[in-house]
Amino acid sequence: MAIKAAIMGYGNLGRGVEKAISRAEDMELVGVFTRRDPAGVKVDSGAKAYHVDALEGMKDDIDILIICGGSATDLPEMTPKYAALFNVIDSFDTHANIPVHFANVDEAAKKAGKIGIISCGWDPGMFSLNRLYAHSVLPGGKDYTFWGKGVSQGHSDAIRRIEGVADARQYTVPVPEALDSVRRGDNPELTTRQKHTRLCYVVAKEGADKDKITEEIVNMPNYFADYDTTVNFITAEEMARDHSGLPHGGSVIYSGSTGDGTNKHVIEYSLKLDSNPEFTGSVLVAYARAAVRMNKAGDCGAKTVFDIAPAMLSPLSGEEIRAHML
Amino acid sequence: MAIKAAIMGYGNLGRGVEKAISRAEDMELVGVFTRRDPAGVKVDSGAKAYHVDALEGMKDDIDILIICGGSATDLPEMTPKYAALFNVIDSFDTHANIPVHFANVDEAAKKAGKIGIISCGWDPGMFSLNRLYAHSVLPGGKDYTFWGKGVSQGHSDAIRRIEGVADARQYTVPVPEALDSVRRGDNPELTTRQKHTRLCYVVAKEGADKDKITEEIVNMPNYFADYDTTVNFITAEEMARDHSGLPHGGSVIYSGSTGDGTNKHVIEYSLKLDSNPEFTGSVLVAYARAAVRMNKAGDCGAKTVFDIAPAMLSPLSGEEIRAHML
């Protein structure tokens, strides 16, 4: 019987999850839940849109609720709330608050006998897995994470809030020399500025002061001040033509040694993604499958990618994965 | 209390495991077990060498037996045999025989209430994990495995058996154009010859017919006939100076798509290893920890890397790994 999945929140990530469910032969989409008026929400696959208030009455119709909200305010509230009713999964990525979020979801999920997977996607998610595997296999080494080249939606939004900016896209770009040094196993100490640069494409409103916009961007604390930032002004047409996608990616590189330290080893995991939300959605769907299976096997509580055996992600049997992938 | 580990078989891999145990703060080496006369076995770390017959009397002194034997004849017999007495782990890599080996270990381990992990290392092992994660996240894509540049001990041994050969080292080398094409996401169909070349360094015995040796190498069925093979004759001094290490590595590259297929994604996991046996030994030791923990938690039977949650590999607590690696 197919796994009945539902999506809470229908933005870029919700749409990515929807596409991933359409590729999962063992899963069907029950519907999309939204805080907006569902009559105004057009679901790409034709699945039904419901108001979020309908969720409580659908306890028996949903095996897993995939929560596609923001980490700042949505997920801290939503994930524990719905873990009391459903198996749930989210992509919570505010690192400092993971312990509290984990504890809240754990309490609600255990009380309800459900599984709640948090912080799932590619970082946190697939990148985290690779940090853990590498540290476990080669203790005492050092991990480096590089992001990009890819669009940071948070940084793009920050630029859009500047006066005189009509549209903006910000790419995070790893510094090639830093990447090379880490890949060689040099184990360098790298500052923020030495690891990534920031490349911005901005459409200015008519008559806007471009120098002032540039100054505001490159000096913006937290977002840009600690980086070498390049600002390019382009037209709205160029923005639409060249920057409409949401590509991303990056690398986790781990460098460690064995024995007395003379033998060095470099482990690298890297992603090149045409669509960040579609790939993140695909990771969520694979782990949604795991959540349902683990719960059926009697497990409950909060989980992360660390707690989940890889075989749980695959629709194939143990025999099949041993035959084809071992 | 430290995990009490023992090593069965003391060749290159056994020594790699020994070094990895010395790096594991939560593990101690009980001893090395050998089919040879233990009096003639000098253990690098100073641990005791025992004859293999002593194992049966040490049921309560060993938490995990790490079996470092060959896949052809040793492991099919040893791993099920010792799974009846201990938690065990091996690096069985004869792919076609994995189902039988898994079944034999599973039966013995379940009867004894022990865990038996098979086919653990980097391929099978870490590479297998990456094939499974990628297929699960992006169903319908294609995985490619490239090995090298690295020393193949099996191929080196095959050359050494040729008349007139004093010593030999064979490197497996991925073809750069094939790697590039796969990394671009071209999804090429590649023959054996198009994926890897074979590079051989041979020390000929005095008076040996070098042309005849070269002919025998490049035409050797299974080992070389399907590859472009280069043979270089060198001196014993050059062999000792330039080819004494056992480096290896390689890449698992997966290329898949989301949605209607327009958005492509490439996932790559790669290893650059100064010492193949020391890295393999390190993987075995991390999974040895997992075997003991899973058994303590009440689990038993045959397992592969697919069945083991990543958190099981780390000596750190769940809180610690979530704080530092998620």
Side-chain angles (χ1 to χ4, degrees):
Chain A
M1 222 171 63
I3 293 169
K4 292 174 285 178
I7 297 169
M8 168 71 226
Y10 197 59
N12 283 331
L13 181 56
R15 286 185 171 82
V17 169
E18 181 185 19
K19 286 183 180 167
I21 291 173
S22 75
R23 289 264 191 134
E25 289 175 20
D26 59 343
M27 213 175 276
E28 62 184 44
L29 178 59
V30 175
V32 167
F33 293 80
T34 174
R35 286 171 294 191
R36 296 178 269 168
D37 176 1
V41 174
K42 169 89 185 66
V43 180
D44 295 341
S45 62
K48 199 170 164 188
Y50 296 87
H51 189 267
V52 64
D53 291 346
L55 268 174
E56 309 213 0
M58 295 178 72
K59 225 173 135 8
D60 299 329
D61 305 314
I62 295 169
D63 294 322
I64 175 87
L65 181 66
I66 303 173
I67 307 182
C68 302
S71 292
T73 54
D74 297 341
L75 299 177
E77 187 225 322
M78 286 178 178
T79 310
K81 175 177 173 183
Y82 293 113
L85 297 168
F86 307 101
N87 296 310
V88 294
I89 180 166
D90 76 20
S91 58
F92 185 78
D93 66 358
T94 309
H95 200 271
N97 299 338
I98 285 175
V100 170
H101 189 56
F102 186 89
N104 291 342
V105 173
D106 196 48
E107 192 189 343
K110 279 200 177 126
K111 210 175 283 176
K114 299 292 184 185
I115 294 276
I117 300 177
I118 66 158
S119 302
C120 187
W122 60 274
D123 197 10
M126 304 312 291
F127 275 16
S128 320
L129 281 176
N130 279 281
R131 287 186 283 262
L132 177 61
Y133 277 121
H135 276 282
S136 301
V137 167
L138 291 180
K142 200 163 153 59
D143 70 75
Y144 295 83
T145 302
F146 291 91
W147 297 276
K149 182 184 174 177
V151 173
S152 163
Q153 298 187 255
H155 287 77
S156 302
D157 289 343
I159 300 175
R160 284 191 207 102
R161 284 190 293 265
I162 293 174
E163 203 191 314
V165 170
D167 197 4
R169 204 74 84 253
Q170 193 269 183
Y171 294 88
T172 304
V173 186
V175 174
E177 294 75 22
L179 263 174
D180 289 346
S181 169
V182 170
R183 282 185 179 136
R184 275 197 307 270
D186 294 347
N187 266 4
E189 293 292 334
L190 297 168
T191 63
T192 298
R193 194 177 297 273
Q194 287 170 323
K195 283 183 74 187
H196 296 94
T197 53
R198 299 202 175 275
L199 178 59
C200 313
Y201 293 92
V202 178
V203 180
K205 290 182 184 163
E206 218 179 292
D209 181 343
K210 290 183 180 174
D211 289 344
K212 192 158 164 278
I213 291 172
T214 302
E215 279 304 297
E216 279 201 50
I217 293 173
V218 302
N219 294 312
M220 197 185 295
N222 303 318
Y223 285 87
F224 295 98
D226 298 334
Y227 298 84
D228 290 338
T229 301
T230 307
V231 180
N232 297 310
F233 288 91
I234 60 173
T235 64
E237 292 68 38
E238 286 169 329
M239 181 65 83
R241 187 190 67 202
D242 302 333
H243 304 284
S244 63
L246 292 169
H248 218 313
S251 299
V252 172
I253 308 177
Y254 186 89
S255 151
S257 64
T258 47
D260 59 6
T262 41
N263 282 322
K264 301 221 161 75
H265 311 286
V266 178
I267 305 172
E268 175 166 355
Y269 178 80
S270 67
L271 295 173
K272 277 185 290 183
L273 311 175
D274 275 357
S275 165
N276 183 353
E278 290 184 12
F279 187 78
T280 304
S282 299
V283 178
L284 282 168
V285 165
Y287 277 95
R289 173 182 296 119
V292 173
R293 288 178 163 186
M294 291 167 83
N295 189 242
K296 279 202 175 135
D299 203 351
C300 68
K303 307 283 175 191
T304 73
V305 293
F306 297 152
D307 306 306
I308 298 168
M312 286 281 160
L313 308 183
S314 173
L316 303 177
S317 70
E319 288 79 8
E320 287 171 311
I321 60 177
R322 285 193 297 274
H324 300 300
M325 298 177 205
L326 194 59
Chain B
M1 221 170 64
I3 293 169
K4 293 174 283 179
I7 296 170
M8 168 72 225
Y10 197 59
N12 283 331
L13 181 56
R15 285 185 171 81
V17 169
E18 181 185 18
K19 287 183 179 167
I21 291 173
S22 75
R23 290 265 191 134
E25 290 174 19
D26 59 342
M27 213 174 276
E28 62 183 44
L29 179 58
V30 175
V32 167
F33 293 80
T34 172
R35 287 170 293 191
R36 296 177 268 168
D37 176 1
V41 174
K42 168 90 185 64
V43 181
D44 296 340
S45 62
K48 198 169 164 188
Y50 296 87
H51 190 268
V52 63
D53 291 345
L55 267 175
E56 309 213 0
M58 295 177 73
K59 224 174 139 1
D60 299 329
D61 305 315
I62 295 169
D63 294 322
I64 175 85
L65 181 66
I66 303 173
I67 308 181
C68 303
S71 292
T73 55
D74 296 341
L75 299 177
E77 187 227 323
M78 285 178 179
T79 311
K81 177 177 173 184
Y82 293 113
L85 297 169
F86 306 101
N87 296 310
V88 295
I89 180 166
D90 76 21
S91 57
F92 186 78
D93 67 357
T94 309
H95 201 272
N97 298 339
I98 286 176
V100 170
H101 190 56
F102 186 90
N104 291 343
V105 174
D106 196 48
E107 191 188 345
K110 279 199 177 127
K111 211 175 281 175
K114 299 291 183 186
I115 293 277
I117 299 177
I118 67 157
S119 302
C120 188
W122 60 274
D123 197 11
M126 304 312 292
F127 274 16
S128 319
L129 281 176
N130 279 280
R131 287 186 283 261
L132 177 61
Y133 277 120
H135 276 282
S136 301
V137 167
L138 290 179
K142 201 163 153 60
D143 69 75
Y144 297 82
T145 302
F146 291 91
W147 297 276
K149 183 183 175 180
V151 172
S152 164
Q153 299 186 255
H155 287 78
S156 301
D157 289 343
I159 300 175
R160 284 190 206 103
R161 284 191 292 264
I162 293 173
E163 203 190 313
V165 171
D167 197 4
R169 205 74 84 252
Q170 194 269 183
Y171 294 87
T172 305
V173 185
V175 175
E177 294 75 22
L179 263 174
D180 289 345
S181 168
V182 170
R183 282 186 178 135
R184 275 197 307 270
D186 294 348
N187 266 1
E189 293 292 334
L190 296 168
T191 63
T192 297
R193 194 177 296 274
Q194 288 169 323
K195 282 184 74 186
H196 296 93
T197 53
R198 298 202 175 276
L199 178 59
C200 312
Y201 293 92
V202 178
V203 179
K205 291 182 182 162
E206 218 179 292
D209 182 341
K210 291 183 181 174
D211 290 343
K212 192 160 163 278
I213 291 172
T214 301
E215 279 304 296
E216 278 201 52
I217 293 173
V218 302
N219 294 313
M220 198 185 295
N222 302 319
Y223 284 87
F224 294 98
D226 298 333
Y227 299 85
D228 291 338
T229 300
T230 308
V231 180
N232 297 311
F233 288 91
I234 60 175
T235 65
E237 292 70 35
E238 287 169 326
M239 181 66 82
R241 187 190 67 202
D242 302 333
H243 304 283
S244 63
L246 291 170
H248 219 312
S251 300
V252 173
I253 308 176
Y254 186 89
S255 152
S257 64
T258 47
D260 59 6
T262 42
N263 283 322
K264 300 222 161 75
H265 312 285
V266 178
I267 305 171
E268 176 165 354
Y269 178 81
S270 66
L271 295 173
K272 276 185 291 184
L273 311 175
D274 274 358
S275 166
N276 182 354
E278 291 184 12
F279 187 79
T280 304
S282 299
V283 178
L284 282 168
V285 165
Y287 276 96
R289 174 182 297 119
V292 174
R293 288 179 162 186
M294 291 167 83
N295 190 242
K296 278 202 176 134
D299 204 352
C300 68
K303 308 283 175 190
T304 73
V305 293
F306 298 153
D307 306 307
I308 298 167
M312 287 280 160
L313 307 183
S314 174
L316 303 176
S317 70
E319 288 79 8
E320 287 171 310
I321 59 176
R322 285 193 297 274
H324 300 299
M325 298 176 205
L326 193 62

